[in-house]
Amino acid sequence: MTTADAVTTTAPVPTQSTYQNRVADYWNAEENPVNLELGKLDDLYHHHYGIGDVDLAVLDYPDPVRRRDRITAELHRLEHAQAELLASRLGPLSPGDRVFDAGCGRGGGSVVAHLRYGCEADGVTISAKQAEFANAQARKRGIDDLVRYHHRNMLDTGLPSGAFAASWNNESTMYVELDLLFAEHARLLRRGGRYAVITGCYNDTYGQASREVSLINAHYICDIHPRSAYFRAMARNRLVPVHVEDLTAAAIPYWELRKQADHLVTGIEDTFLTAYRNGSFQYLLIAADRV
C-alpha cells in the first residue's frame, strides 16, 4: 500500500487562466449554509446535490426549529445517497487500491469512498481553504494517513501516472475543459481503471443552452457542457463508457424540498426545477473504463 505524497497541501496551483483564479477566489470565500450546515450533521461535507425520494413528513413539524432541523437532515441524507451511488460505480476496489477525487471540495466524497472500500484516496481542489478544511476533517477522523487532500489544479495534478484504480468528478466538470480533464484522468488511471462522473449537462436535442442553463452558469461562475461533449471527449482520451444513467427524475425531489428550506435557499432552486422539467438540463452519471 503506497503512502506517497502524504503531505502535499502546499503545492503551487498552476495558473491556467484568469477564470480559474476567479473560481478559486469564489470557493475560498464561500461559506454557504447549504454546504456547511448539512455537513455538520456527521462531518461529511458534500458539494453536490441529492437524489431519491423525499420523506415529506419532515415538513409536518409545527415547531419551526424542529422542522428546520429535519429538513436539513433530509437534504443531507439525499446528498449522501448521491455520493454513495457514485462510489458504488468505482468498484470493485480493495484496501490496497488508490483512488482520485477531482474537484474534491471539502472532502466528503473521498471519505465515502474510503469508508466503502478501505482504499487510499487523494482529493484535489483549486481552493486552498477547502484543502485545509478537508485535511483537518481527515485528521479528526484519524484517517489522514490514507485520505489526503491537495491544493492543486485537477487538470495538472502532479500525481503519479497509472497509480489509481479509480477516479471521479462529482459536479465539478463544468469548471474546466473536458479534453484537458479527461486526459489527466487517463494519465492517472491504470489500464482497466474506472472513471465516474455525476454532472449537470445541457440537453443537445433541446438546442443551445437554455435560459435556465445560462442562469445556472452565472450563479456558479461555471460553463455547463452539452451532453454529447462528455462522450466525444471520453472517446478522445481512452475512456470507454460502460454505464450511463439519467438521474434527472431522481434529482427533482431534492430541489422541491430545498425550495421549502427557508434557512438554506440560495435563489437558484426554481431555475433548476424549471430546467429539469422542460428537458433542457439533465443530471447524468457516466462510468467509463480506461483502455
Side-chain angles (χ1 to χ4, degrees):
M1 186 184 302
T2 180
T3 56
D5 292 329
V7 181
T8 56
T9 58
T10 59
V13 178
T15 301
Q16 298 290 335
S17 65
T18 301
Y19 166 73
Q20 286 194 325
N21 290 334
R22 287 187 63 204
V23 171
D25 290 343
Y26 174 89
W27 289 111
N28 283 329
E30 184 268 338
E31 295 285 345
N32 197 321
V34 78
N35 293 321
L36 295 173
E37 293 302 315
L38 274 61
K40 289 176 183 177
L41 295 174
D42 58 4
D43 288 333
L44 282 172
Y45 290 83
H46 299 302
H47 280 273
H48 53 74
Y49 311 126
I51 55 171
D53 293 332
V54 168
D55 179 5
L56 294 176
V58 301
L59 300 173
D60 295 337
Y61 287 85
D63 178 67
V65 175
R66 181 66 170 158
R67 182 178 187 271
R68 181 196 66 197
D69 291 346
R70 289 300 304 272
I71 290 174
T72 300
E74 182 67 358
L75 288 171
H76 185 62
R77 183 185 70 81
L78 297 171
E79 291 190 2
H80 188 73
Q82 191 262 37
E84 288 284 3
L85 175 64
L86 190 150
S88 74
R89 290 295 173 181
L90 301 176
L93 297 171
S94 70
D97 287 323
R98 189 175 178 186
V99 299
F100 171 57
D101 183 356
C104 62
R106 288 185 172 93
S110 297
V111 176
V112 168
H114 167 72
L115 294 178
R116 187 182 188 95
Y117 298 108
C119 57
E120 291 189 61
D122 289 88
V124 164
T125 172
I126 203 169
S127 164
K129 185 176 180 181
Q130 286 183 342
E132 181 180 1
F133 182 95
N135 278 316
Q137 292 300 117
R139 289 192 295 271
K140 183 178 178 180
R141 287 179 175 271
I143 58 173
D144 52 305
D145 58 330
L146 296 171
V147 180
R148 305 168 289 266
Y149 300 95
H150 314 272
H151 176 214
R152 299 188 181 185
N153 193 311
M154 63 180 167
L155 302 181
D156 183 17
T157 65
L159 296 171
S161 299
F164 296 86
S167 65
W168 70 91
N169 286 90
N170 197 344
E171 293 186 20
S172 54
T173 53
M174 62 286 298
Y175 290 101
V176 294
E177 295 179 45
L178 292 180
D179 273 299
L180 297 177
L181 175 66
F182 293 158
E184 182 67 350
H185 279 287
R187 184 186 71 80
L188 294 172
L189 287 169
R190 67 193 185 197
R191 183 180 291 274
R194 172 66 56 82
Y195 171 71
V197 56
I198 293 181
T199 187
C201 55
Y202 76 79
N203 184 356
D204 301 59
T205 63
Y206 185 94
Q208 294 297 314
S210 67
R211 175 180 180 275
E212 290 78 23
V213 170
S214 297
L215 289 172
I216 295 169
N217 280 336
H219 185 85
Y220 291 109
I221 320 176
C222 64
D223 186 14
I224 293 167
H225 303 290
R227 181 179 59 189
S228 63
Y230 284 88
F231 300 98
R232 291 197 302 267
M234 284 182 180
R236 288 191 291 262
N237 289 283
R238 305 178 67 177
L239 297 171
V240 179
V242 294
H243 178 81
V244 180
E245 188 171 352
D246 186 348
L247 300 174
T248 307
I252 288 176
Y254 167 87
W255 286 99
E256 290 176 331
L257 179 62
R258 189 167 132 177
K259 180 181 175 181
Q260 300 185 70
D262 294 340
H263 61 301
L264 298 174
V265 293
T266 63
I268 200 66
E269 288 77 15
D270 279 326
T271 303
F272 269 87
L273 287 168
T274 300
Y276 284 147
R277 288 169 176 158
N278 70 21
S280 66
F281 190 52
Q282 294 178 302
Y283 199 52
L284 289 189
L285 183 154
I286 308 169
D289 287 343
R290 194 275 200 191
V291 297

